[in-house]
Every structure is written in structure tokens, then in C-alpha cells.
């Protein structure tokens, strides 16, 4: 007799959760092939992911986050003008030798940190045809296992871990998991927006539909998709079937919309609701906020910088 027949009243999702054996997620994909037009002219010849957040390029925080979630196999999707990304995670023998000669062990260690972090792989997205298309470029590397996607310009504060929670949720619920953040109603048109239903876990919702950058008044909720995903490999087929959408790009959100309507084969899609600190370093305002906040909190720079900032703000308020 079928063991689930004995219990009779289990829902499909419950059965799925009980029978799903957790595939170990070991690979992180970091799409970083976008044009970064919001940050021109800085990004004309420099990838936006290389812009410094205090004294580390934004992308290093993202790779560190992947490693902190036990994902040390990292595939970066790059494109034209993105060579500095590869150089940053490679050794720089000349620089290392110069620092060794000077006996500057502190800086030497900082320089080596990025090349010792993870096993890095790179693939080029010939034309930036959209985030969905960028993720599809990872298929030969990923194979048939669930995997994580971290957007290269999205910075999650290391003290507010999100990815490990998402991996945990994917292990128990199966399917695919996205990260959601509640935003102001006037901001939702900048994001993918999710239609959601509650689950029995306070920070987890079932995603029932998704709309990329909804027109004013058309968003199904104020829950915005942010740049962390744990995806079932069925997403690759879904992307292949996805027609160009918003801005003529192949949108990952549109492929995930398809998966959100399924109970298996890549679905269901759950969302982990994030309430921590997150910065879109591809947006000039958010980039500035990230630098000020992270600089204030640094032991080496913070005390002096905070004092200066206090004086500056006081003077500004008086004008
Ligand atoms: P964004 O839309 O934020 O990146 O894509 P963008 O196109 O570079 O930015 P703007 O709007 O022109 O300033 C989100 C993420 O997807 C990657 C980007 O690098 C970014 O990490 N992406 C986007 C790709 O890798 N390939 C693409 O074709 C599009």
C-alpha cells in the first residue's frame, strides 16, 4: 500500500517536503554582464561591479557572501569590458612582490584575500540579452543540480545572512526559492513583483505569480524580487521558452513566473522575505548609502568618519 494513502490527508506540498531529499547546493552563479547604464559615465570602461564600496569592489562582497553560504564554486557571467573582474580574483605577482619587499604584510594579505576566496570560473555572455539569458549561459557548468544565483550588483549586509536561509528553505520545500523584500508602493515598478500566499513559516511565502517591473497600479503586491535565487535546473528549459519581455530582454522573472505555476519540475516557487540591509550598488543613491553605512561601521575608519559626518550633517541642517 502507498504509505501516503495511509495518512490520507497530506497535501501535495507536504508530501513533496517529506520525500524531497536535499541535493547539496555547491555552485554559485554571479551574473555580471549588464551594461550598468544607470552609472554612466563611470561604467563606460569599468564594470559597475568593480566600483569600490569603501576599499573593496562591490563584487568581492558578493563572492564572500557565496563562500559564507558554503558555495565555493563560483561561475561569473561576464561580457565586454569585464576583464578587471577576472583580474581581481587572480593573483597579481608584481604587486605581491612589491608589498613583500616593503614588508607590508597587512596589505599583502588583503591583496591575496580575493584570489584565495573561491574556485572561480568565467563564461562570457556575448550580448547582454537580459538576466534570464545570462543565467542560461551557466547551464553547461551547473548541469542537473539546484544552484544559487547572486546578482553582482546587489549587496547584502554580511551580518544579515539570507542565502543560507534560502538554501535551507529549498532543501525542505524543494522547487525554487527567491528572495523578496517589501518596498514602498511607489518603488515596486522598479522590480519584479510577486503574488504571494503565506506558509506556516513566518519568513517564507508561496509565490503564485510574478510580474517584471509592473506598470503603476498593476503590481500584485509590494513584495519585490531582489538579487538572490536558489533555482531548480528546470529553470533552464523555462528560460529557453521565454520570449523577450520588458526592455526586449529575456527576463529571469518571466521564466520563474512559469515555474511558480507548477507544483513540481522546477516549482513550486517559494519566497524568503528579507528584512535586513541590502544595497543596489548599480543605483547611485543606494551605492552612496552603502559606502557611508559600511564606512561608519568599520573599526579602522568608522570613529573618525562618523565624527566628520556628524559635523557635516549638523552644518548642512543649519543652512
Ligand atoms: P541590471 O538591470 O541591474 O543590470 O541587471 P544592468 O543592465 O547592467 O543595469 P542598468 O540598468 O543598465 O544600469 C541585474 C543583474 O543582471 C546582470 C547585471 O550585470 C546585474 O548583475 N545582467 C543583466 C547580465 O549579466 N546580463 C544581462 O544581459 C543583463
Amino acid at each position: 500500500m502507498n504509505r501516503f494513502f495511509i495518512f490520507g490527508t497530506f497535501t501535495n506540498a507536504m508530501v513533496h517536503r517529506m520525500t524531497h531529499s536535499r541535493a547539496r547546493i555547491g555552485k554559485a552563479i554571479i551574473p555580471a554582464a549588464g551594461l550598468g547604464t544607470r552609472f554612466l559615465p563611470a561604467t563606460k570602461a569599468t564594470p559597475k561591479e568593480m566600483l569600490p564600496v569603501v576599499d573593496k569592489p562591490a563584487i568581492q562582497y558578493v563572492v564572500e557572501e557565496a563562500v559564507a553560504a558554503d558555495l565555493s564554486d563560483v561561475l561569473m557571467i561576464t561580457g565586454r569590458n569585464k576583464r578587471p573582474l577576472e583580474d581581481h580574483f587572480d593573483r597579481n605577482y608584481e604587486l605581491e612582490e612589491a608589498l613583500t619587499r616593503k614588508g607590508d604584510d597587512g596589505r599583502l594579505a588583503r591583496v591575496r584575500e580575493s584570489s584565495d576566496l573561491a574556485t572561480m570560473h568565467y563564461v562570457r555572455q556575448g550580448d547582454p540579452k537580459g538576466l534570464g539569458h545570462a543565467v542560461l549561459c551557466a547551464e553547461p557548468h551547473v548541469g542537473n543540480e539546484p544552484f544559487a544565483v547572486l546578482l553582482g550588483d546587489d549587496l547584502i549586509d554580511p551580518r544579515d545572512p539570507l542565502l543560507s536561509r534560502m538554501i535551507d528553505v529549498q532543501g525542505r520545500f524543494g522547487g525554487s526559492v527567491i528572495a523578496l523584500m517589501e518596498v514602498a508602493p511607489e518603488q515596486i515598478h522598479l522590480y519584479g513583483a510577486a503574488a504571494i500566499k503565506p506558509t506556516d513559516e513566518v519568513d517564507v511565502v508561496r509565490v503564485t505569480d510574478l510580474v517584471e517591473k509592473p506598470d503603476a497600479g498593476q503590481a500584485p503586491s509590494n513584495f519585490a524580487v531582489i538579487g538572490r535565487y536558489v533555482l531548480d535546473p528546470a529553470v533552464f528549459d523555462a528560460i529557453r521558452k521565454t520570449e523577450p519581455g520588458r526592455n526586449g530582454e529575456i527576463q529571469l522573472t518571466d521564466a520563474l513566473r512559469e515555474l511558480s505555476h507548477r507544483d513540481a519540475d522546477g516549482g513550486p516557487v517559494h519566497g524568503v522575505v528579507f528584512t535586513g540591509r541590502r544595497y543596489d550598488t548599480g543605483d547611485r543613491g543606494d551605492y552612496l548609502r552603502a559606502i557611508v553605512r559600511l564606512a561608519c561601521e568599520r573599526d579602522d575608519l568608522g570613529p573618525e568618519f562618523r565624527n566628520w559626518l556628524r559635523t557635516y550633517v549638523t552644518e548642512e541642517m543649519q543652512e
Side-chain angles (χ1 to χ4, degrees):
M1 187 190 289
N2 181 322
R3 66 196 163 108
F4 298 121
F5 184 73
I6 302 171
F7 299 103
T9 55
F10 288 129
T11 64
N12 276 349
M14 288 164 86
V15 170
H16 186 84
R17 273 157 75 179
M18 286 185 290
T19 54
H20 182 83
S21 64
R22 181 178 173 171
R24 211 190 87 76
I25 296 169
K27 289 181 181 159
I29 308 305
I30 304 186
L35 294 177
T37 53
R38 283 170 295 162
F39 232 123
L40 284 169
T43 47
K44 183 179 173 190
T46 305
K48 66 174 164 182
E49 297 82 4
M50 284 303 294
L51 297 176
V53 177
V54 189
D55 51 8
K56 275 194 293 194
I59 193 76
Q60 188 172 332
Y61 292 86
V62 179
V63 174
E64 285 171 354
E65 184 192 335
V67 172
D70 254 350
L71 311 174
S72 55
D73 181 306
V74 174
L75 174 72
M76 206 171 280
I77 317 291
T78 70
R80 274 186 291 282
N81 289 337
K82 299 283 180 168
R83 192 57 205 271
L85 287 168
E86 297 185 33
D87 290 341
H88 184 71
F89 293 99
D90 200 356
R91 300 289 294 268
N92 182 335
Y93 291 105
E94 249 178 26
L95 184 58
E96 287 180 30
E97 246 178 65
L99 291 168
T100 307
R101 269 199 307 275
K102 281 190 189 169
D104 194 341
D105 295 340
R107 288 202 176 88
L108 182 62
R110 298 278 285 158
V111 160
R112 283 189 178 151
E113 251 170 42
S114 54
S115 49
D116 293 342
L117 253 183
T119 307
M120 301 296 298
H121 308 269
Y122 301 90
V123 64
R124 274 189 174 227
Q125 182 189 15
D127 282 315
K129 293 185 197 160
L131 178 57
H133 181 255
V135 170
L136 192 54
C137 297
E139 188 179 20
H141 184 78
V142 165
N144 199 27
E145 298 160 16
F147 61 102
V149 175
L150 296 85
L151 298 195
D153 56 355
D154 223 334
L155 207 155
I156 302 290
D157 193 296
R159 292 157 304 173
D160 299 327
L162 167 64
L163 196 56
S164 43
R165 173 68 180 142
M166 293 173 71
I167 292 172
D168 172 52
V169 168
Q170 198 277 339
R172 288 181 305 110
F173 287 80
S176 300
V177 177
I178 62 178
L180 297 173
M181 200 163 181
E182 197 166 9
V183 299
E186 60 277 12
Q187 294 280 308
I188 191 72
H189 71 281
L190 300 169
Y191 297 86
I196 55 171
K197 282 201 310 210
T199 68
D200 46 14
E201 297 197 27
V202 99
D203 63 334
V204 182
V205 291
R206 168 79 193 255
V207 175
T208 56
D209 204 8
L210 286 160
V211 189
E212 179 63 18
K213 300 195 171 75
D215 292 329
Q218 300 297 307
S221 77
N222 292 328
F223 284 90
V225 180
I226 59 169
R228 298 294 179 267
Y229 309 80
V230 178
L231 300 177
D232 185 280
V235 75
F236 295 125
D237 261 340
I239 295 171
R240 257 188 291 278
K241 291 180 188 143
T242 300
E243 297 290 329
R246 276 266 173 217
N247 306 329
E249 294 184 349
I250 298 171
Q251 299 288 353
L252 180 60
T253 308
D254 293 339
L256 292 174
R257 171 172 200 260
E258 185 55 45
L259 298 190
S260 74
H261 300 158
R262 302 181 190 173
D263 279 329
D265 191 24
V269 175
H270 284 89
V272 169
V273 178
F274 183 63
T275 51
R277 289 156 283 194
R278 172 246 173 201
Y279 311 95
D280 174 1
T281 59
D283 172 82
R284 291 169 302 174
D286 235 15
Y287 173 77
L288 293 173
R289 282 186 279 276
I291 292 178
V292 171
R293 203 152 175 178
L294 293 177
C296 280
E297 291 161 1
R298 283 266 296 254
D299 289 340
D300 52 349
L301 299 165
E304 199 188 325
F305 185 63
R306 268 201 306 270
N307 278 341
W308 174 82
L309 193 61
R310 204 172 289 121
T311 314
Y312 176 71
V313 171
T314 314
E315 284 169 6
E316 277 291 295
M317 305 264 281
Q318 281 161 0
E319 270 172 24

